[in-house]
Amino acid sequence: QVQLVESGGGLVQAGGSLRLSCAASGRDFSSYGVGWFRQAPGKEREFVVAISRSGGTTSYADSVKGRFTISRDNAKNTVYLQMNSLKPEDTAVYTCAASRLRWATREYDYTYWGPGTQVTVSS
């Protein structure tokens, strides 16, 4: 089993940057693909980005390509999401999740979820 906790959210002006962290506890973190999802008020949760077990494969939603970068440090059991050039439409609760698959982009492929961290981008 894996427990996930996100950190690094906050309030930032449009054009600014934030780095989110997803810290995992439990065994064999490197055997899980990890993804970030987000949910804005009144909207359904959506896929943002995923990274494979080794970190060698990544997949981004079109809306964040070129602005967000995911990485992982398996020695520290942590996945990072660097978010640059933030826009007001990036405002959402960001949640990381772990999948037993090598990597995945669909919600139902993820087994473990963190509580989420709020990101608010002001215009």
Side-chain angles (χ1 to χ4, degrees), residues 38 46-50 59-68:
R38 67 185 182 185
E46 65 175 359
F47 168 78
V48 178
V49 59
S59 180
Y60 294 86
D62 288 343
S63 58
V64 305
K65 278 182 183 176
R67 300 187 298 122
F68 289 14

Side-chain angles (χ1 to χ4, degrees), residues 37-89:
F37 292 79
R38 67 185 182 185
Q39 186 167 23
K43 295 187 177 181
E44 294 190 353
R45 186 159 57 188
E46 65 175 359
F47 168 78
V48 178
V49 59
I51 190 167
S52 64
R53 295 165 179 163
S54 67
T57 301
T58 57
S59 180
Y60 294 86
D62 288 343
S63 58
V64 305
K65 278 182 183 176
R67 300 187 298 122
F68 289 14
T69 303
I70 190 171
S71 61
R72 68 187 294 166
D73 185 341
N74 286 336
K76 296 182 178 180
N77 281 8
T78 303
V79 171
Y80 304 98
L81 181 61
Q82 179 66 43
M83 306 187 296
N84 299 328
S85 302
L86 283 162
K87 305 174 182 179
E89 50 264 44

